[in-house]
């Protein structure tokens, strides 16, 4: 496949993973990324079952396991910091501690996959696609900073607000499905002095100590039944919105929000899904959140991106670079798996609403017990463990 040129938009997880496998299969690969370097921050993400098999094939599994979050457990507290629930069996973000899954920081996993791609993959940082026009033989691509180039295949692996999807498939509003809440994540000093531990305060969010307790990752957010109109590239406006919504939240969150303003890795977005009838159009195909975002409520975004990258690369190899055959096989292989994962998020969103109604007649201690005991993520693991990778 040395004469097949592939452009991938997005250098998070799915894009570099796809680049790794395509390069090994003999394709010529270029990755374009709007940011000037790999993006820092993000959530602690879970890599499970078949997704771990994908990671193993890239040769970085040992390092991924070494960099796992290594949390010992979690607590739930009230506004004064009084502990209402404690467990060393699971955490709110990672599920059961005693299992083969790996919870790792998003930016650590991104860096490892990026480094694994090696010198055979071209990266264009601080650049973005401005247009894609297709004919029977090629996809003509223009960029903000680089000279126009032609590619045989273009892949949008550029997230929930995919630029490739907008250029080729149409406005985001056609495909996005809001799930009723927003989430912000950022890094702060470990000022509560947590020791490999995670603390949840309702309604503030989660704080967890990471990187051998050298830092704190803060999760906070709010409910919003209808989507909020905001600029997803204006970080200052997003921080103001979070500060306004969380102004009266207790425990240590007022202190955490002080660090939010200067956090270099602040990320904010809606809990939303992308639902599409087809993930490809001509020579353009979507991968991961760009085509089938499950939202953080699914707990499976990373696993879907990794497995999707492996399958897409494998089907392109099997089809000898024939994009029509490969894209059809890619979708046939993954559609059911994706739909099951997206259904988890919808069920979780419904359960959250039902739980809030049930909590109305419960004490804080009873609420904490209910939340803590249901943070084991078994439904997430059941779906991904049911999927087996094809050999390519």
């Amino acid at each position: 496949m040395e004469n097949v040129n592939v452009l991938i938009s997005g250098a998070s997880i799915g894009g570099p993973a796809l680049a790794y496998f395509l390069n090994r299969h003999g394709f010529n690969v270029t990755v374009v990324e709007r940011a000037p370097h790999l993006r820092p921050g993000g959530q602690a993400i879970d890599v499970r079952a078949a997704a771990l098999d994908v990671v193993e094939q890239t040769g970085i599994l040992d390092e991924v396991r070494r960099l796992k979050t290594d949390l010992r457990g979690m607590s739930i507290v009230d506004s004064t910091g009084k502990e209402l629930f404690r467990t060393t069996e699971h955490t709110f973000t990672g599920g059961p501690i005693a299992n083969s899954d790996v919870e790792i920081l998003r930016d650590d996993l991104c860096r490892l996959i990026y480094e694994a791609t090696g010198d055979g993959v071209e990266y264009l940082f601080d650049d973005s696609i401005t247009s894609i026009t297709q004919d029977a033989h090629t996809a003509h691509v223009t960029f903000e900073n680089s000279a126009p180039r032609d590619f045989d295949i273009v892949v949008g692996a550029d997230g929930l607000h995919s630029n490739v999807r907008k250029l080729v498939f149409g406005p985001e509003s056609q495909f996005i499905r809001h799930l009723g809440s927003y989430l912000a994540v950022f890094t702060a000093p470990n000022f509560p002095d947590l020791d490999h531990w995670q603390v949840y305060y309702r309604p503030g969010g989660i704080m967890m100590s990471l990187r051998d307790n050298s830092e704190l990752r803060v999760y906070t957010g709010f409910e919003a039944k209808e989507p909020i109109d905001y600029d997803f590239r204006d970080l200052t406006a997003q921080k103001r919105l979070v500060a306004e919504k969380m102004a009266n939240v207790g425990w240590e969150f007022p202190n955490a929000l002080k660090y939010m303003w200067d956090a270099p890795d602040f990320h904010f977005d809606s809990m939303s899904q992308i639902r599409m009838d087809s993930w490809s159009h001509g020579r353009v195909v979507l991968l991961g959140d760009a085509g089938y975002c499950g939202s953080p409520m699914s707990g499976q975004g990373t696993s879907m991106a990794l497995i999707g990258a492996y399958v897409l690369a494998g089907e392109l190899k099997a089809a000898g670079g024939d994009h029509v055959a490969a894209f059809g096989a890619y979708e046939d292989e993954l559609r059911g798996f994706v739909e099951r994962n997206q259904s988890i998020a919808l069920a979780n969103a419904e359960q959250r609403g039902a739980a809030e109604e049930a909590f109305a007649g419960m004490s804080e201690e009873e609420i904490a017990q209910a939340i803590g005991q249901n943070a084991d993520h078994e439904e997430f693991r059941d779906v991904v463990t049911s999927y087996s990778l094809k050999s390519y």
Side-chain angles (χ1 to χ4, degrees):
M1 264 68 74
E2 62 184 16
N3 295 320
V4 180
N5 299 309
V6 181
L7 174 65
I8 301 170
S9 177
S12 183
I13 292 173
L18 177 63
Y20 174 91
F21 288 108
L22 286 177
N23 182 46
R24 271 44 181 189
H25 295 331
F27 292 81
N28 302 320
V29 185
T30 298
V31 180
V32 60
E33 167 58 50
R34 180 184 296 273
H37 44 68
L38 294 179
R39 297 176 188 267
Q43 300 180 61
I45 53 181
D46 301 298
V47 187
R48 301 184 171 101
L52 282 171
D53 295 337
V54 173
V55 169
E56 184 173 23
Q57 293 193 40
T58 67
I60 63 172
L61 182 57
D62 288 345
E63 189 67 3
V64 166
R65 290 196 183 282
R66 187 184 72 80
L67 292 175
K68 66 181 181 179
T69 57
D70 203 26
L71 295 175
R72 298 183 295 107
M74 62 170 278
S75 300
I76 299 177
V77 301
D78 65 13
S79 61
T80 68
K82 175 186 174 184
E83 192 171 273
L84 305 175
F85 176 87
R86 163 179 287 254
T87 180
T88 55
E89 294 183 0
H90 58 258
T91 65
F92 201 85
T93 58
I97 292 173
N99 66 66
S100 60
D101 301 345
V102 176
E103 183 183 47
I104 182 173
L105 289 173
R106 175 205 156 274
D107 41 2
D108 284 345
L109 182 59
C110 288
R111 176 182 56 81
L112 291 174
I113 298 174
Y114 166 75
E115 291 173 351
T117 59
D119 296 333
V121 174
E122 176 189 21
Y123 281 86
L124 303 176
F125 285 101
D126 199 21
D127 209 348
S128 182
I129 298 170
T130 54
S131 70
I132 303 171
T133 55
Q134 304 182 64
D135 58 34
H137 306 288
T138 193
H140 309 279
V141 181
T142 61
F143 300 90
E144 286 185 359
N145 299 316
S146 301
R149 291 167 62 175
D150 292 342
F151 295 90
D152 299 292
I153 294 167
V154 177
V155 183
D158 44 355
L160 177 66
H161 304 294
S162 170
N163 179 47
V164 170
R165 189 184 63 234
K166 179 181 69 174
L167 290 172
V168 176
F169 296 83
E172 180 178 289
S173 58
Q174 297 181 44
F175 312 111
I176 196 165
R177 181 172 180 177
H178 180 60
L179 299 186
S181 61
Y182 287 81
L183 176 68
V185 184
F186 58 92
T187 296
N190 186 9
F191 63 89
D193 198 26
L194 302 181
D195 182 11
H196 296 89
W197 201 257
Q198 183 177 105
V199 181
Y200 174 65
Y201 165 63
R202 175 179 174 269
I206 296 170
M207 296 186 199
M208 54 198 292
S209 61
L210 297 164
R211 296 195 170 119
D212 201 23
N213 299 326
S214 66
E215 67 180 48
L216 197 71
R217 198 61 54 102
V218 181
Y219 296 61
T220 190
F222 53 87
E223 304 295 315
K225 291 185 178 181
E226 297 298 325
I228 296 173
D229 185 18
Y230 73 98
D231 183 350
F232 67 88
R233 299 199 186 282
D234 188 340
L235 296 185
T236 301
Q238 293 168 26
K239 290 176 181 179
R240 284 198 298 264
L241 177 60
V242 172
E244 174 187 333
K245 294 290 186 179
M246 308 308 291
N248 298 316
V249 171
W251 189 50
E252 293 283 3
F253 276 89
N255 291 325
L257 292 176
K258 293 176 183 177
Y259 293 106
M260 175 186 71
W261 296 102
D262 295 322
D265 59 355
F266 174 85
H267 176 76
F268 173 82
D269 216 329
S270 65
M271 293 281 201
S272 296
Q273 291 189 340
I274 296 296
R275 298 273 184 150
M276 304 184 70
D277 293 333
S278 176
W279 303 333
S280 65
H281 180 77
R283 295 177 175 273
V284 180
V285 65
L286 302 175
L287 169 66
D289 284 357
Y292 39 89
C293 178
S295 89
M297 284 188 183
S298 76
Q300 296 290 78
T302 301
S303 292
M304 286 197 288
L306 289 169
I307 292 170
Y310 172 85
V311 171
L312 179 55
E315 295 297 350
L316 282 165
K317 173 191 175 185
D322 179 348
H323 66 280
V324 175
F327 294 170
Y330 161 65
E331 188 155 347
D332 287 345
E333 173 66 20
L334 279 187
R335 175 68 72 167
F337 176 66
V338 164
E339 288 178 349
R340 290 193 298 276
N341 281 299
Q342 290 186 320
S343 294
I344 291 174
L346 298 182
N348 284 341
E350 291 178 3
Q351 289 170 4
R352 282 180 63 170
E356 286 300 321
E357 292 184 12
F359 290 163
M362 297 169 62
S363 68
E364 280 195 278
E365 286 80 2
E366 290 171 330
I367 293 171
Q369 291 288 326
I371 292 173
Q373 290 168 0
N374 284 294
D376 57 11
H377 294 197
E378 284 302 321
E379 69 275 25
F380 302 158
R381 302 182 68 253
D382 288 346
V383 171
V384 75
T385 53
S386 69
Y387 183 84
S388 298
L389 293 181
K390 291 174 62 175
S391 296
Y392 293 103

